[in-house]
Amino acid sequence: MARKIGVYAVIAYVLYGLFIYWYLFYFADTSLPFEYEGSQADPAVFLNARELSLSEEYSKVRNLLFFLSTPLEWLFYLLILLVGLSKAFKRWAEQSTRFKFFQTAIYFIWLSFFAFVATFPLSYISYSLAKTYNISTQTFSSWMKDELIDFWINYGIMVIVVSVLYWLMNKSRKRWWLYAWMLTIPFTLIMVFLQPIVIDPLYNDFYPLKDKELEQKILALADKADIPADHVFEVDMAEKTNALNAYVSGIGGNSRIVLWDTTLNRLNDNQILFIMAHEMAHYVKKHIYVGIAGYLLLSLAGLYATARIMNWAISRWGNEFKVDHVKDLRSLPLFLMILSMLMFAASPLTNFVSRYQESQADLYAIEMTKDPQAAITSFQELTRAGLSQVNPPLLVKIFRYGHPTMLERISALEEYEIKMRNENID
């Protein structure tokens, strides 16, 4: 039975991959609606023929990799259960030490290592793709360094999380999911607080903005928005990417206004001020707190659903999974697989909320700067730098886009520009 489940799962993954390939390369229509042709949202207006061709090619392959990677993770966890590796990991851990925490650490290092190896090919293809299309400028050694930092940070955090999770499962078979959720509240807040000052500097160097004149303009904008800020940081990203970005991160006293040096190199001051006004809008409109609250609500529903599904799955396929009960550490791949599936299923909702917030931030920024042309040209340059599709396929938008499409963003700014012009005439 275990072999049959594994074979069916592999066949299902292959068929799913073929469907996604057909959808992205043959079925999906990314052409611009005729009413937008010739507008500032039309990529043919601001991209040359080569850039247009490259953006379509790059986007299709990148989207294919996205849709293949998450279900590959599910398939990996399922096969780990079916072939008995989860059982072997636990046996090796128990033979190595009698202390529960260290048993969990040993079990999870084996699971993490196998997961890293299984997903590495797609990660490397994604890296190579970005290099081929000149999005990434990162050397292989630098990329591997970031991959290993990711590995060890995730491992360190997850060892603690998994240890606490299975301790709760052993203490309360029925309500472990509720107690686990209660602990996610302080954990989430701590991680958001630590991200800009502890984790982010592990990947990149942050330093005060060198252009003091621009810094004063940004701080004046922050003061206008009632954002307490004394410095603007720039981060060295040119050695890793040609993409552009800026953000406001953190909560409370550790919040930071950050600009990538690639953004500074390719955009003028007015364009940068619009982008910074957009990022400040997230702070002003409390989007980070709304995001945390939404995440906690989804976590509650997700953990409850995971508990119910795990009980059902083990009662039905426990023999095939080599797992007797939920509280057995061998069930961890099942827990991770179900949680990942639920997160993927919830992504259309979370992306919808995120796109709404981003639209709010665009509106706030344009009302603050009153410079539609700077806003429009900044989005055009972002499209060029990232080789983004202006009008992506529907499934891509639903499952991938936490921002409105460039078609939606630029056309909204054009409408605002027309509105401003009419008001000035009146």
Side-chain angles (χ1 to χ4, degrees):
M1 183 62 177
R3 180 179 295 179
K4 184 182 290 187
I5 293 173
V7 170
Y8 285 162
V10 171
I11 292 173
Y13 179 75
V14 171
L15 292 175
Y16 162 82
L18 290 173
F19 166 77
I20 291 296
Y21 180 84
W22 168 79
Y23 174 79
L24 292 174
F25 285 82
Y26 296 101
F27 178 78
D29 182 15
T30 59
S31 61
L32 213 65
F34 75 92
E35 61 266 30
Y36 295 103
E37 292 179 2
S39 71
Q40 294 182 86
D42 186 349
V45 170
F46 60 89
L47 298 180
N48 60 42
R50 176 172 171 76
E51 288 169 336
L52 275 172
S53 175
L54 290 176
S55 67
E56 282 298 313
E57 291 174 9
Y58 177 66
S59 296
K60 285 177 180 178
V61 181
R62 185 178 59 171
N63 291 331
L64 177 64
L65 292 173
F66 166 80
F67 281 108
L68 291 179
S69 60
T70 303
L72 178 63
E73 180 185 338
W74 309 340
L75 180 63
F76 165 77
Y77 287 132
L78 180 62
L79 294 179
I80 285 288
L81 290 166
L82 293 174
V83 302
L85 276 175
S86 183
K87 183 178 180 180
F89 296 160
K90 186 183 178 186
R91 185 175 68 251
W92 298 340
E94 290 174 340
Q95 290 171 350
S96 301
T97 179
R98 61 188 179 87
F99 295 104
K100 281 287 185 182
F101 176 79
F102 294 113
Q103 287 177 2
T104 301
I106 292 169
Y107 173 95
F108 196 68
I109 193 65
W110 279 110
L111 182 63
S112 299
F113 173 74
F114 273 73
F116 181 84
V117 171
T119 57
F120 183 81
L122 281 184
S123 298
Y124 179 75
I125 291 171
S126 181
Y127 160 73
S128 298
L129 180 72
K131 284 280 286 186
T132 300
Y133 285 86
N134 203 34
I135 303 298
S136 173
T137 58
Q138 195 170 17
T139 63
F140 177 76
S141 60
S142 174
W143 175 75
M144 274 303 302
K145 177 185 174 183
D146 284 351
E147 289 289 300
L148 292 174
I149 291 173
D150 271 345
F151 178 89
W152 288 112
I153 288 176
N154 291 332
Y155 173 76
I157 293 171
M158 285 300 294
V159 164
I160 297 171
V161 170
V162 170
S163 298
V164 173
L165 179 68
Y166 278 84
W167 179 79
L168 291 172
M169 287 179 176
N170 280 277
K171 289 295 181 181
S172 178
R173 181 180 175 184
K174 292 184 177 180
R175 294 188 177 86
W176 63 265
W177 58 271
L178 178 61
Y179 301 136
W181 175 77
M182 291 170 68
L183 289 175
T184 65
I185 300 173
F187 178 78
T188 301
L189 293 174
I190 290 170
M191 290 304 298
V192 171
F193 186 84
L194 292 179
Q195 183 78 33
I197 57 175
V198 176
I199 297 177
D200 288 347
L202 294 175
Y203 296 89
N204 302 106
D205 295 324
F206 291 78
Y207 38 84
L209 185 62
K210 296 171 187 173
D211 187 340
K212 296 304 176 184
E213 184 178 345
L214 176 60
E215 182 180 48
Q216 289 306 310
K217 292 179 182 178
I218 295 172
L219 291 177
L221 205 62
D223 183 64
K224 186 178 176 182
D226 294 323
I227 296 176
D230 298 320
H231 299 285
V232 178
F233 292 87
E234 87 179 74
V235 56
D236 183 12
M237 291 296 295
E239 293 183 355
K240 293 185 177 182
T241 183
N242 284 318
L244 314 181
N245 196 17
Y247 58 89
V248 177
S249 67
I251 56 175
N254 76 329
S255 57
R256 281 185 171 185
I257 301 173
V258 180
L259 276 163
W260 285 10
D261 59 348
T262 51
T263 305
L264 292 165
N265 294 338
R266 294 185 63 165
L267 300 185
N268 62 42
D269 284 8
N270 289 337
Q271 292 169 329
I272 290 172
L273 288 175
F274 168 77
I275 289 175
M276 294 314 301
H278 168 97
E279 297 303 331
M280 291 174 189
H282 293 306
Y283 182 95
V284 172
K285 293 183 176 295
K286 313 296 184 188
H287 287 166
I288 187 168
Y289 298 103
V290 173
I292 291 172
Y295 169 77
L296 292 174
L297 285 174
L298 283 175
S299 297
L300 177 61
L303 285 169
Y304 172 73
T306 300
R308 295 295 298 269
I309 296 171
M310 283 185 75
N311 285 328
W312 170 77
I314 291 175
S315 67
R316 182 164 182 177
W317 295 299
N319 290 332
E320 288 77 9
F321 293 160
K322 286 89 176 170
V323 178
D324 299 325
H325 41 70
V326 170
K327 64 182 180 180
D328 191 327
L329 186 59
R330 289 177 294 177
S331 71
L332 180 59
L334 180 62
F335 172 86
L336 295 173
M337 179 178 70
I338 294 170
L339 199 61
S340 176
M341 287 178 168
L342 292 173
M343 289 171 63
F344 187 77
S347 60
L349 173 62
T350 57
N351 285 338
F352 175 81
V353 173
S354 177
R355 288 195 299 270
Y356 173 74
Q357 290 179 335
E358 296 295 337
S359 295
Q360 283 188 313
D362 283 349
L363 180 61
Y364 178 93
I366 194 61
E367 288 180 344
M368 175 175 275
T369 59
K370 303 292 185 184
D371 192 345
Q373 270 307 301
I376 290 170
T377 53
S378 66
F379 283 149
Q380 290 174 340
E381 192 59 36
L382 283 167
T383 302
R384 178 181 291 106
L387 292 180
S388 306
Q389 286 177 312
V390 170
N391 187 34
L394 180 61
L395 285 183
V396 174
K397 176 183 174 180
I398 290 173
F399 282 96
R400 286 207 68 189
Y401 274 51
H403 290 71
T405 66
M406 283 302 181
L407 173 62
E408 293 167 336
R409 301 180 87 171
I410 295 175
S411 59
L413 290 170
E414 279 192 301
E415 290 176 10
Y416 185 88
E417 185 176 32
I418 293 169
K419 179 183 174 183
M420 276 185 61
R421 194 181 302 128
N422 292 337
E423 287 176 353
N424 290 334
I425 293 173
D426 294 340

